[in-house]
Amino acid sequence: MPYFDSASAAPLHPVARQALQAALDEGWADPARLYREGRRARLLLDAAREAAAEAVGVRADELVFTPSGTHAVHTGVAGVLAGRRRVGGRLVVSAVEHSSVLHAAAAHEGRGGTVAEVPVDRSGAVTAAGYAAALEPGTALACLQSANHEVGTVQPVAEVAEVCAAAGVPLLVDAAQSLGWGPVEGAWSVLTGSAHKWGGPPGVGLLAVRKGVRFSPRGPADERESGRSPGFVNLPAVVAAAASLRAVRAEAGEEAARLRVLVDRIRRRVARLVPDVEVAGDPERRLPHLVTFSCLYVDGESLLHELDRAGFSVSSGSSCTSSTLTPSHVLRAMGVLSEGNVRVSLPPGTTAGEVNAFLEVLPGVVAGVREKLGAHSVPGAVPAAPPVADSVELDALGLRCPQPVIELARAIVTVPVGGTVTVVSDDEVARLDVPAWCAMRGHAYVGEAPREVGVAYTVRRLV
């Protein structure tokens, strides 16, 4: 069964498995102790730190291991903010950061700090100018991911690091998605990573803080990991994480070129094989293994279940597949379609045959889901009868994605060109998907207005 969700967790690399087993036999003792077993464990820990630091591009004494990538982000953000509290309490983040960064930002706001979000364009990219404008006096820290976890867009970290340095503001880079593919360029100040994203074991993160960055660990500290990640380190997992990072880096150039060809094939053929699809993310400046697309008139949860039944494991940013009714904050910030969203992230070793099989199955799966929703006849449908009214209002209260958009698509052909359709919906996703539908189908989004229950979204027919 092809597994296409390595952006969530990559399969354990064979080198990680071998290193983990060896470290379980040799590295079980406390590396802080001076007896034989402790010295042996310390040698393993030092070697792992040297290997990870070399891959990141820092000195070994600038890098510590943490219990997870999320822990590394939270520790990094809180530590720099505390170390620079005399500068001010302003934190700058991009609108598409991983939830771990946004949760840290929310906690900072809860403690009385302020947070500014830098917007992105439709491809999901920030600009250095956007960060420069946000770096007001009193800014203690800026955060920027190296590459987006949902759409794969690679961010201009080096350029943003330059404007941050000019403003005297440290830059924290969440490199979870990109670190296995290569080092992060630029004069960043703090960097975090997560081993299970590059084929290491889960439960290992890394935090690199370059010399000269003011950093004050939060919470109780001990003598381990420079006081930045207290507690007994999971040495076997750390050894496996460092070994696998070195291994994937050695293979990265060749594997990236191979997977980029396969992802390019998906990007091209999905748009041709499936009607009413929007492929998201920068087509060039992106991770080599990841592609995201959204399908109009499709329930994302049903789509994922059907693909799973067909033998393909993929992920989604659709609100229909989450525990909330809000769309992915990444897709929302980009202003692209969220319904029927599919994220394909190919692990190393994925074959052309597996990708071709996915492309053969996908059109039928999407058509089947649309048919179940009664939307199979909507795309491109033109009624023989003349329009029935200059304006139509639809009551879509209680309907969840993608039903409000399906109802809109059916109704738009009942008004003349220049006429309007208003959809009243209490589904938060409509705020994103109605304008996205207009952009895809060539109509004008007039705007929204609050109602006693729900929100009214108005569309003007142009074609």
Side-chain angles (χ1 to χ4, degrees):
M1 177 174 179
Y3 174 78
F4 289 170
D5 193 24
S6 64
S8 293
L12 193 66
H13 194 282
V15 168
R17 189 182 302 277
Q18 295 166 5
L20 183 62
Q21 183 60 58
L24 285 170
D25 295 335
E26 300 291 331
W28 49 268
D30 187 345
R33 303 306 170 199
L34 299 179
Y35 41 71
R36 182 185 306 107
E37 294 84 358
R39 294 197 304 273
R40 187 184 303 140
R42 182 68 192 203
L43 287 173
L44 288 173
L45 179 58
D46 288 346
R49 197 184 312 279
E50 289 280 356
E54 181 183 4
V56 171
V58 296
R59 294 168 26 170
D61 61 353
E62 294 175 321
L63 184 143
V64 300
F65 294 105
T66 67
S68 69
T70 295
H71 188 281
V73 167
H74 292 174
T75 301
V77 171
V80 177
L81 287 173
R84 288 173 49 82
R85 59 187 176 276
R86 292 183 180 178
V87 173
R90 181 178 173 86
L91 171 65
V92 175
V93 302
S94 84
V96 293
E97 293 299 308
H98 187 268
S99 59
S100 60
V101 173
L102 299 184
H103 291 160
H108 177 58
E109 278 189 308
R111 293 190 294 266
T114 59
V115 178
E117 278 195 358
V118 178
V120 297
D121 61 21
R122 199 169 175 83
S123 73
V126 301
T127 63
Y131 266 78
L135 298 176
E136 298 177 358
T139 301
L141 175 66
C143 298
L144 176 63
Q145 58 189 191
S146 56
N148 187 259
H149 51 291
E150 289 194 29
V151 299
T153 297
V154 172
Q155 300 290 5
V157 173
E159 293 91 333
V160 171
E162 284 186 15
V163 301
C164 287
V169 176
L171 177 66
L172 182 150
V173 176
D174 170 18
Q177 288 296 334
S178 73
L179 203 53
W181 298 107
V184 178
E185 302 296 332
W188 47 263
S189 305
V190 181
L191 182 141
T192 64
S194 185
H196 72 278
K197 304 292 188 181
W198 67 67
V204 178
L206 56 82
L207 170 64
V209 182
R210 282 179 163 156
K211 296 295 183 183
V213 178
R214 295 187 64 85
F215 192 96
S216 178
R218 299 292 80 197
D222 61 22
E223 71 282 359
R224 301 176 191 273
E225 296 302 295
S226 304
R228 292 174 180 168
S229 185
F232 197 103
V233 66
N234 184 349
L235 184 53
V238 162
V239 169
S244 59
L245 181 55
R246 175 176 286 180
V248 299
R249 280 289 188 82
E251 305 160 352
E254 181 178 344
E255 193 64 14
R258 198 181 65 81
L259 292 181
R260 189 174 289 276
V261 171
L262 298 180
V263 167
D264 284 342
R265 183 181 304 172
I266 296 174
R267 292 182 67 91
R268 290 193 311 269
R269 296 191 62 190
V270 161
R272 292 203 302 261
L273 294 172
V274 182
D276 296 300
V277 164
E278 182 174 20
V279 181
D282 195 299
E284 300 297 332
R285 192 178 171 89
R286 59 175 172 79
L287 292 171
H289 69 304
L290 192 154
V291 58
T292 293
F293 55 89
S294 298
C295 309
L296 271 177
Y297 320 124
V298 169
D299 172 3
E301 185 170 4
S302 297
L303 181 56
L304 262 60
H305 284 321
E306 292 301 322
L307 286 170
D308 181 54
R309 249 193 289 271
F312 296 93
S313 302
V314 297
S315 184
S316 174
S318 291
S319 63
C320 313
T321 63
S322 68
S323 58
T324 70
L325 294 178
T326 57
S328 153
H329 70 278
V330 172
L331 302 179
R332 183 173 64 243
M334 293 168 61
V336 298
L337 185 69
S338 76
E339 67 184 47
N341 179 257
V342 174
R343 181 185 69 180
V344 175
S345 48
L346 307 178
T350 299
T351 67
E354 290 171 330
V355 169
N356 290 339
F358 172 76
L359 291 170
E360 289 177 6
V361 165
L362 181 67
V365 169
V366 173
V369 173
R370 284 174 172 165
E371 185 170 4
K372 289 179 181 178
L373 291 170
H376 56 290
S377 62
V378 167
V382 178
V388 297
D390 289 335
S391 63
V392 171
E393 182 168 307
L394 305 174
D395 182 355
L397 296 173
L399 300 180
R400 297 300 172 217
C401 69
Q403 287 297 155
V405 174
I406 292 175
E407 296 303 317
L408 169 60
R410 288 176 175 148
I412 197 71
V413 292
T414 67
V415 301
V417 173
T420 61
V421 174
T422 298
V423 182
V424 182
S425 174
D426 55 358
D427 186 355
E428 176 67 21
V429 186
R431 178 168 282 112
L432 175 61
D433 285 354
V434 170
W437 178 87
C438 291
M440 293 177 69
R441 304 300 290 171
H443 300 293
Y445 179 61
V446 176
E448 65 176 67
R451 291 288 179 88
E452 185 174 345
V453 178
V455 177
Y457 304 94
T458 301
V459 173
R460 187 176 305 281
R461 182 181 179 184
L462 297 183
V463 293

